[in-house]
Amino acid sequence: MPSSRIPGFYKMSVQERLEKVAEFAGLGDEDKRLLLEKGLSLDIADRMIENVIGTFELPLGIATNFLIDGKDYLIPMAIEEASVVAAASNAAKMAREGGGFVTDYSGNIMIGQIQVVRLNDPYSAKFEVLRHRDEIIEKANEQDPILVNLGGGCKDVEARVIDTLRGKMLIVHLIVDVKDAMGANAVNTMAEAVAPLIERITGGKVCLRIISNLAVYRIARAKAVFKKEAIGGEEVVEGIMNAYAFAEADPFRCATHNKGIMNGISAVVIATGNDFRAVEAGAHSYAAMRGYKPLTTYEVNENGDLVGTIELPIAVGTIGGATKVNPLAKLSLKILGVSTAEELARVMAAVGLAQNFAALRALATEGIQRGHMELHARNIAIMAGASGEEVDMVVEELLKIGKIRMDVAKEVLEKLRARS
Ligand code: MEV
């Protein structure tokens, strides 16, 4: 099995990196051309949304070093922010020393909500809905025989009476196994289809019929042991524990903590053509279920190593939607080597944990600006004319001097060349 551990990947040219990824993932010439030249065609874009006038691009980077449930992964990440891909790769490298990430997944189960209003006796209506559960499930499943044949479909019905600004309402949930789809289409179709039946059963009026992004039955989890020697020793462990305690106690910090997690997850969600707003909404609403809390936890085990876990809803698909229409999304799935929604969600959870660990480690030690400055210095060095090994040398000198400017870079390069 090829390894995702590719030393010096960041120093390679785009072409060299692509060759490495092609080798790892078995990409052909057409795949490579798609990445380097063609991208998303106007033709396809025009069929994806309305009023198209062009396409909008993002850098696609590859995070290396990920070992998840014993399998090596290269992770495609579409993101505009510097340092995210490097940080994820770096964290994954450290996690490898503790055996990599292990993951868990609760199933491809989504919730469709049906809001029932104008009820005189909402608790009686709730009782009637539950008493007619099988009939409701049958009606829902008539909408999607293909999904049902695959073993998916509506599996259960839940009902809750809630207090609202406009009095009591009955909220019916369809519990749907959407298999490898994100599921919004299947669930929304079912919710709309059962609405007349629910009106008949309850005597009320159905208002909204829509999926819930708080996908509490579609939870992905990941865990990693970060060996203390691999991450910089006891002080770093303590710093990360302090950082975690800060986020746990303070929603102002927790928002940024969780944002860092989503830097990683959303980048993979976008690269694979999935709905990043849905995943973001799910993550933050899940974090807020018991007061706004971190999506990760950290503990110190008996060896003094740091044990990190993450838990959040991840509603993504490998079929349907843009995952199959956008050729770049298909290619990202090919690079990842995943074919099921489950495996994709597990990978994303591991990436989220890696991203959070990397951010906390940087924040608890040298701060995050050094990483940003390094990339900036690299760009300046290359623009000043450095090439090959000169780049690293100029970057190092610029960081030492603390002035990342073109004129300084040119001066450093001149001196370097004069010496050799
Ligand atoms: C920046 O995009 C993300 C961080 O702010 C996350 C964090 O503070 O944990 C570095």
Side-chain angles (χ1 to χ4, degrees), residues 317-332:
T318 51
I319 59 165
T323 49
K324 277 281 161 353
V325 180
N326 185 337
L328 288 164
K330 270 198 279 186
L331 201 51
S332 289

Side-chain angles (χ1 to χ4, degrees), residues 66 68 75-76 103 220-222 261 264-274 279 310 312 314-317 333 336 341-355:
F66 274 83
I68 305 169
I75 315 281
T103 69
R221 300 183 184 88
I261 293 170
I265 294 179
S266 289
V268 188
V269 175
I270 294 169
T272 56
N274 275 288
V279 177
I310 186 168
L312 76 163
I314 300 190
V316 291
L333 287 173
L336 274 167
E342 164 163 357
E343 192 180 355
L344 182 57
R346 286 170 181 263
V347 166
M348 286 174 178
V351 174
L353 177 57
Q355 206 70 57

Side-chain angles (χ1 to χ4, degrees), residues 27-61:
L27 305 186
D29 288 345
E30 189 46 41
D31 294 331
K32 290 192 231 170
R33 215 172 7 258
L34 188 68
L35 280 167
L36 293 178
E37 295 163 23
K38 293 199 337 214
L40 175 63
S41 72
L42 265 184
D43 224 32
I44 296 175
D46 196 28
R47 278 182 270 132
M48 288 173 75
I49 64 163
E50 307 76 30
N51 300 353
V52 166
I53 59 160
T55 56
F56 182 93
E57 294 179 42
L58 280 173
L60 183 69

